[in-house]
Amino acid sequence: MEHGDIVSKGKGKGVVSHPSSSYKQIIIVAAIAAGLQFGWALQLSLLTPYVQQLGVPRTWSSFIWLCGPMSGLIVQPTVGYYSDRCTSRFGRRRPFIVAGAVFVAVAVFLIGFAADIGHSAGDELAKRTKPRAVAIFVVGFWVLDVANNMLQGPCRALLADMSCNNHKKMRVANGLFSFFLGVGNVLGYAAGANSQLHTLLPFTITEACDVYCANLKTCFLIDIVFLLTVTTFAMLMVGEKPWEPIHMDGESTPFFVQLIGALKQLSRPMWILMLVTALNWVGWFPFIMYDTDWMGAEVYGGKPKGSPEEAKLYEMGVRAGALGLMINSFVLGFSSLGIEPVSRIVGGLRWVWGIVNIIFTVCMGGMVVVTTVAERWRSVHGLAHPPPNVRAGAFSIFAVLGIPLSVTFSVPFALASIFSSNSKAGQGLSLGILNLFIVIPQLLVSAVSGPLDAAFGGGNLPAFVMGGIAAFASAMCAVFLLPDPPPQSDVSLTMGGGH
């Protein structure tokens, strides 16, 4: 796209966007998701075990995951609001996308080098807990989640702008974004499952950073290069014309006042969408937090700080979990491309969402079954590599979960863009509001999952059962409460300028 292909003109309380963006241009912007998700996949697959290596007790590790939801609670609505109103000569969304990518690079550097920085600052290698390394890690973790929100929200808003209120383009654009999230996941999980990546950068092994830590560090350095490359390419190839707002009464209203006003003015379909989304994420977050830990501790029967045999089994399980997540991402990517045609077959996006959440519920129940079978096997055979049927069951669950995850990454955002097209909130603020109902459930799950698991013996199953119940509730709400999007002709052509 040449600079200025996205044309915006002030009209009323919004801006009219002319349909001039091709699918090729949409693909280029959606590809940023691959760079974003590369680092996120590393975070999901490796960081819970890494935190425990730094000496943080497993029960407390879940509280570190509060960083992401808390930053998303504030950052995405704020960034969405100001990106709707940005008058930079580079466009509304692009400055935020570039800044987000730079902060992601800084954050993953801090996380990868936390052990080294902590040791240089005085951490003693002989002590189990390394407080300075943990502090650096937590700072990096917070910055990473803030940057992820700063990058992802404007990317999705830019895709909505480029779709120019064409419902099909909005659905396809979000499907493509989900597809590239899958690509990034595959790359990240493949890197996480490779125990020899540190050989590419031998300097990553240090006195404070063993082979496991060096692999994590190498993965993050690769992620920095990849993300900055794909973002730079997209920003050079896709331009925006500067937004020129027309002054209106109320334009100086403070952000939080406008946010509350936008919430009050949300339509019933948007409120139902947010309810379904919130329940959906109560289901997903236990899996996201503990997927590789589940493989290491409950499928393989290991312990991160146990005997040498237990520690080895745990590491093998974590690596197997990263492989399972890579398989999950392949399924996610291909499923994303099929959401649009399948929705036409089954009768609409709400039916797609309801059906896949039933699949999600069954998978969460399957995790309980696999855990039970694995524990019974170990009670007879002792600590050992799990049998083929247990491993096959676990990998099957990872694979099948790629189908509902592709819908979770796509459908809520497409519906939010469509439902908000005739509202006073801009695309950025609308997607930021939707994000509130993604991160609030994560805060809830992060706060209760660790104590809940500890109360029932320290395993992951209580959180998984809670997730399965929430997934089923989300399915019922999607099918019986969520309305279908209005026909294309019934939606105003007014786009995201906000007040």
Side-chain angles (χ1 to χ4, degrees):
M1 178 192 298
E2 296 298 325
H3 184 72
D5 279 356
I6 300 176
V7 183
S8 300
K9 296 179 181 178
K11 182 179 180 180
K13 290 193 176 184
V15 288
V16 176
S17 296
H18 298 287
S20 57
S21 301
S22 68
Y23 282 110
K24 177 182 177 181
Q25 295 157 355
I26 288 174
I27 289 171
I28 291 173
V29 172
I32 295 174
L36 172 69
Q37 198 69 10
F38 187 109
W40 184 247
L42 293 172
Q43 181 175 330
L44 295 182
S45 62
L46 298 179
L47 289 192
T48 293
Y50 180 51
V51 167
Q52 293 180 56
Q53 282 200 343
L54 294 178
V56 179
R58 183 193 177 284
T59 302
W60 290 97
S61 65
S62 63
F63 288 100
I64 294 178
W65 285 90
L66 287 170
C67 303
M70 288 182 69
S71 66
L73 189 67
I74 300 171
V75 175
Q76 271 221 16
T78 305
V79 168
Y81 173 85
Y82 286 106
S83 74
D84 283 339
R85 291 154 177 76
C86 179
T87 57
S88 166
R89 65 188 181 92
F90 299 107
R92 288 196 294 173
R93 319 295 184 187
R94 293 163 80 236
F96 292 92
I97 293 172
V98 171
V102 171
F103 279 115
V104 167
V106 171
V108 297
F109 180 85
L110 289 175
I111 291 172
F113 286 81
D116 294 315
I117 297 173
H119 179 54
S120 299
D123 280 342
E124 296 181 27
L125 299 179
K127 290 188 176 180
R128 182 170 182 264
T129 301
K130 288 121 179 117
R132 295 166 184 83
V134 171
I136 295 296
F137 169 86
V138 171
V139 170
F141 201 86
W142 273 85
V143 174
L144 178 60
D145 281 304
V146 168
N148 279 339
N149 284 298
M150 190 174 183
L151 178 57
Q152 182 170 178
C155 274
R156 288 191 184 272
L158 179 57
L159 288 172
D161 293 343
M162 295 171 69
S163 298
C164 302
N165 206 41
N166 182 305
H167 289 189
K168 181 180 178 181
K169 266 192 177 180
M170 286 181 181
R171 296 192 298 267
V172 171
N174 279 281
L176 288 168
F177 195 87
S178 179
F179 169 77
F180 281 108
L181 289 177
V183 171
N185 274 337
V186 169
L187 296 174
Y189 295 140
N194 189 331
S195 61
Q196 300 300 316
L197 271 183
H198 65 280
T199 59
L200 298 175
L201 302 173
F203 67 86
T204 55
I205 297 181
T206 64
E207 185 181 7
C209 190
D210 60 11
V211 170
Y212 184 91
C213 169
N215 270 310
L216 180 69
K217 193 189 301 182
T218 302
C219 289
F220 275 137
L221 290 174
I222 294 172
D223 175 48
I224 290 173
V225 174
F226 179 63
L227 173 62
L228 294 181
T229 299
V230 70
T231 303
T232 300
F233 178 75
M235 294 299 95
L236 290 176
M237 296 298 294
V238 178
E240 291 180 280
K241 205 166 189 177
W243 183 59
E244 299 176 359
I246 296 177
H247 178 74
M248 289 161 287
D249 292 339
E251 189 68 34
S252 60
T253 305
F255 160 62
F256 285 104
V257 174
Q258 292 211 25
L259 175 60
I260 293 171
L263 285 169
K264 289 180 178 178
Q265 295 171 12
L266 287 178
S267 63
R268 183 175 180 272
M270 273 295 291
W271 279 111
I272 296 174
L273 171 63
M274 291 186 297
L275 170 64
V276 178
T277 300
L279 289 170
N280 199 204
W281 276 97
V282 171
W284 274 116
F285 209 57
F287 175 78
I288 288 173
M289 283 198 300
Y290 297 127
D291 42 25
T292 56
D293 184 69
W294 172 68
M295 285 290 281
E298 286 161 302
V299 177
Y300 276 69
K303 295 180 181 178
K305 293 294 182 181
S307 67
E309 184 181 8
E310 289 174 328
K312 181 179 180 181
L313 282 171
Y314 183 80
E315 183 177 350
M316 289 173 61
V318 169
R319 300 254 175 231
L323 177 59
L325 289 171
M326 185 172 66
I327 296 170
N328 170 278
S329 300
F330 274 111
V331 177
L332 186 159
F334 285 110
S335 299
S336 299
L337 300 177
I339 293 173
E340 177 67 18
V342 170
S343 69
R344 292 197 296 267
I345 295 172
V346 301
L349 291 179
R350 68 186 179 94
W351 283 101
V352 172
W353 207 355
I355 291 169
V356 300
N357 272 339
I358 294 296
I359 295 173
F360 181 19
T361 303
V362 173
C363 287
M364 296 299 275
M367 297 178 82
V368 177
V369 174
V370 169
T371 298
T372 302
V373 173
E375 289 175 347
R376 288 178 179 175
W377 188 86
R378 283 194 297 273
S379 68
V380 175
H381 299 87
L383 282 177
H385 201 273
N389 65 316
V390 170
R391 298 199 306 274
F395 281 123
S396 297
I397 290 171
F398 274 97
V400 175
L401 280 174
I403 299 172
L405 192 58
S406 69
V407 173
T408 297
F409 284 167
S410 172
V411 169
F413 302 96
L415 289 176
S417 292
I418 293 169
F419 289 148
S420 66
S421 294
N422 60 348
S423 72
K424 294 182 179 181
Q427 288 290 339
L429 181 56
S430 296
L431 293 173
I433 291 173
L434 177 67
N435 194 62
L436 293 177
F437 290 83
I438 294 174
V439 300
I440 290 174
Q442 292 179 22
L443 285 169
L444 172 66
V445 174
S446 295
V448 305
S449 61
L452 179 66
D453 290 346
F456 287 89
N460 295 310
L461 295 191
F464 291 162
V465 170
M466 177 180 66
I469 294 171
F472 181 77
S474 179
M476 295 299 99
C477 291
V479 171
F480 295 109
L481 297 180
L482 188 66
D484 291 315
Q488 181 75 55
S489 58
D490 290 348
V491 179
S492 167
L493 293 176
T494 302
M495 292 289 288
H499 289 15

